[in-house]
Amino acid sequence: MDFSFTEEQELFRKSVREFCGKKLATHAREIDEKGEIPSAVLEDMADFGLLGITISGEYGGRGADFTTAAIGAEEIARADISMATAVYYLVEAGWGFIMDKYGSRNAKEEILPDVTKGKTFLGIASTEASGGSDIASISTTMEKKNGKFVLNGSKTYISGVREAANQGGGYVTIVKTAHGPGHKGLSFCYVPVKDTPGITTGVIRQMGREGMSNGTIIMNNAEIPEHYLIGELNKGFYYAMEGFNCARTLVSAACIGAAEKVLETGIKYIKAREVFGSPLAKFEGIQFQLAEDYIKLESARLLVHKAAWMLDEKNGSLHEINKAVAAAKLIAPTTAFEIIRDVMTWHGAYGYSKEAGLERGLRGVTSYIVGAEGAQNIMKIIIGRELLGKEFAPY
Ligand SMILES: Cc1cc2nc3c(=O)[nH]c(=O)nc-3n(C[C@H](O)[C@H](O)[C@H](O)COP(=O)(O)OP(=O)(O)OC[C@H]3O[C@@H](n4cnc5c(N)ncnc54)[C@H](O)[C@@H]3O)c2cc1C
């Protein structure tokens, strides 16, 4: 057994940390307060090779594996604990990988180079008002008419709608293409948002990760060319599940990065802050909490790195990978939330202030507890299903 990263991965971490320290951390407060990631930050990230990092070199990406992509997510979230920049990074890495793996050559040549250059945004549009957890219940349709695909329906709580509408870009989108039970009639396609007749977007303000928009996409007889179909017709559910495994691993890595950074901040603070004549760090009530937080963080980190490694090495059956990813996604956001809450408490009133900035992290990681990239109970259902067999799935 070998718990170490490769030399390239260590170098990558070091260089991304330096890059994020200079080019991202300095903007973290502004990103949250102004509600957008400055275009200069995205340009710098693109130049550094952080956008669409898993996309292959022929389309401008690094063709990074998921362990490397996870290192990137950790480092970005260390620098911007609000998760806004991490979300921008990880949806492109997770779903760009799926587009690259299953998209048509024409579509990839048209779309992916602009994503990796940071000119356009690429996201995932799966959730509908009927409930994001039950993907098989979606009702957005895609029908073939006069050599085009015509889309009707709406998606909601979609990250990056304002970015895609303003700067350009679109979504790997799951749609219904055949009648039939459950997941069997679903397909995956690319839907460009900007300048597509019949498509409108709307913003829904969120409690956190303010630098990245979220909202609705309405498709009313919107047409896309046939080559925007991703993979085979009616196989979309399987591509979606693969993409969720990729994106969930990166989400979990981002939570680890934010928690690690906040815990370091907490350690510095409790050593420096004196009350009752001693540094806070000397009191058992604080020190024991620190020890527990450390263990939680290390346990979560191991599960996240194991999930990334399993994705890269194809180590284990799909069932084992599903279980490992769901375990990582279940533990990492909750761990991050608990650590940020504890560190905030150690800071007393200062911890609650905007000045300390810890609340940005608390608001950001909460998105992954309530639902983004899959709700926590759904992770438990996946783990239960993989342990018990699909005949015990509660749906
Ligand atoms: C900040 C943010 C960003 C997002 N970005 C995107 C995006 O870019 N693209 C996208 O497609 N979606 C996005 N989503 C939506 C996300 O995928 C959904 O929130 C998620 O899938 C859950 O769906 P829902 O919110 O409709 O909750 P529901 O499916 O209605 O579930 C509500 C609650 O019930 C629980 N629950 C559901 N079913 C069961 C069950 N069988 N047993 C026990 N408990 C159950 C869930 O755990 C959850 O707590 C985002 C969400 C957030 C919060």
Side-chain angles (χ1 to χ4, degrees):
M1 186 170 275
D2 182 357
F3 282 98
S4 55
F5 290 104
T6 64
E7 206 176 311
E8 288 85 20
Q9 286 163 344
E10 291 290 4
L11 273 174
F12 177 70
R13 184 186 291 283
K14 191 166 174 273
S15 61
V16 180
R17 188 168 295 187
E18 270 168 24
F19 167 84
C20 287
K22 284 189 198 134
K23 306 278 186 179
L24 176 59
T26 43
H27 293 280
R29 184 182 298 272
E30 172 197 352
I31 287 172
D32 189 63
E33 283 174 0
K34 290 204 177 146
E36 63 181 23
I37 305 170
S39 53
V41 171
L42 293 175
E43 279 162 28
D44 287 338
M45 286 175 74
D47 290 346
F48 193 89
L50 285 175
L51 297 185
I53 192 168
T54 56
I55 293 170
S56 45
E58 67 179 305
Y59 306 115
R62 279 179 185 251
D65 60 20
F66 279 94
T67 306
T68 306
I71 291 172
E74 284 175 32
E75 293 305 319
I76 289 168
R78 276 180 62 97
D80 174 14
I81 62 168
S82 82
M83 293 287 141
T85 317
V87 174
Y88 197 108
Y89 164 89
L90 71 87
V91 288
E92 290 195 341
W95 299 98
F97 173 80
I98 296 295
M99 178 94 194
D100 193 356
K101 185 167 174 187
Y102 298 108
S104 72
R105 174 156 281 280
N106 287 353
K108 291 192 289 190
E109 282 172 356
E110 268 175 54
I111 297 153
L112 296 182
D114 281 344
V115 172
T116 54
K117 280 186 201 124
K119 289 189 176 164
T120 56
F121 172 74
L122 180 71
I124 166 73
S126 137
T127 305
E128 299 193 2
S130 57
S133 303
D134 184 10
I135 293 180
S137 75
I138 62 156
S139 55
T140 295
T141 55
M142 182 168 89
E143 290 170 305
K144 212 165 181 183
K145 274 190 196 152
N146 307 322
K148 300 227 169 193
F149 283 121
V150 181
L151 296 138
N152 279 292
S154 61
K155 300 285 178 183
T156 191
Y157 299 115
I158 306 303
S159 299
V161 285
R162 190 195 54 225
E163 289 76 358
N166 291 351
Q167 83 192 60
Y171 287 88
V172 170
T173 305
I174 193 150
V175 291
K176 212 163 178 54
T177 37
H179 297 292
H183 59 273
K184 293 227 162 100
L186 303 180
S187 299
F188 237 18
C189 61
Y190 173 77
V191 179
V193 163
K194 194 177 177 196
D195 302 330
T196 302
I199 293 204
T200 48
T201 57
V203 169
I204 305 170
R205 273 199 72 188
Q206 304 292 303
M207 75 176 249
R209 57 197 225 186
E210 296 267 19
M212 183 77 187
S213 70
N214 186 281
T216 52
I217 305 173
I218 297 169
M219 294 159 272
N220 187 5
N221 286 321
E223 292 183 351
I224 56 167
E226 271 186 272
H227 66 275
Y228 281 5
L229 176 70
I230 298 173
E232 285 177 52
L233 210 57
N234 302 327
K235 294 268 169 69
F237 185 79
Y238 302 101
Y239 309 135
M241 291 305 110
E242 186 177 349
F244 277 122
N245 275 346
C246 301
R248 282 171 186 161
T249 302
L250 300 182
V251 159
S252 310
C255 291
I256 295 302
E260 180 188 74
K261 176 70 188 170
V262 169
L263 197 58
E264 286 170 14
T265 309
I267 289 171
K268 262 191 219 148
Y269 187 81
I270 58 176
K271 280 171 149 180
R273 171 76 169 166
E274 293 210 359
V275 278
F276 297 104
S278 279
L280 268 179
K282 279 211 165 189
F283 295 103
E284 189 178 289
I286 304 286
Q287 215 177 89
F288 280 15
Q289 213 175 18
L290 170 66
E292 282 161 20
D293 283 340
Y294 165 78
I295 294 166
K296 281 193 256 179
L297 179 59
E298 287 308 295
S299 320
R301 191 200 305 278
L302 287 172
L303 283 175
V304 174
H305 289 170
K306 183 180 172 198
W309 174 80
M310 285 176 82
L311 281 177
D312 290 339
E313 300 296 321
K314 307 279 173 291
N315 190 295
S317 65
L318 179 61
H319 296 291
E320 284 161 340
I321 294 176
N322 290 341
K323 192 162 42 120
V325 171
K329 169 67 170 62
L330 188 59
I331 196 171
T334 316
T335 297
F337 182 90
E338 289 172 1
I339 289 175
I340 300 170
R341 180 205 55 204
D342 288 352
V343 172
M344 210 176 206
T345 314
W346 301 345
H347 282 70
Y350 177 54
Y352 191 66
S353 73
K354 290 265 180 191
E355 199 49 45
L358 294 167
E359 49 83 41
R360 286 203 296 273
L362 206 63
R363 289 188 278 118
V365 300
T366 302
S367 68
Y368 293 121
I369 293 173
V370 303
E373 299 289 355
Q376 296 302 72
N377 278 358
I378 301 308
M379 299 307 112
K380 290 183 186 166
I381 288 176
I382 294 171
I383 295 167
R385 186 190 67 202
E386 301 303 355
L387 287 171
L388 297 165
K390 69 173 186 229
E391 63 275 27
F392 290 92
Y395 45 83

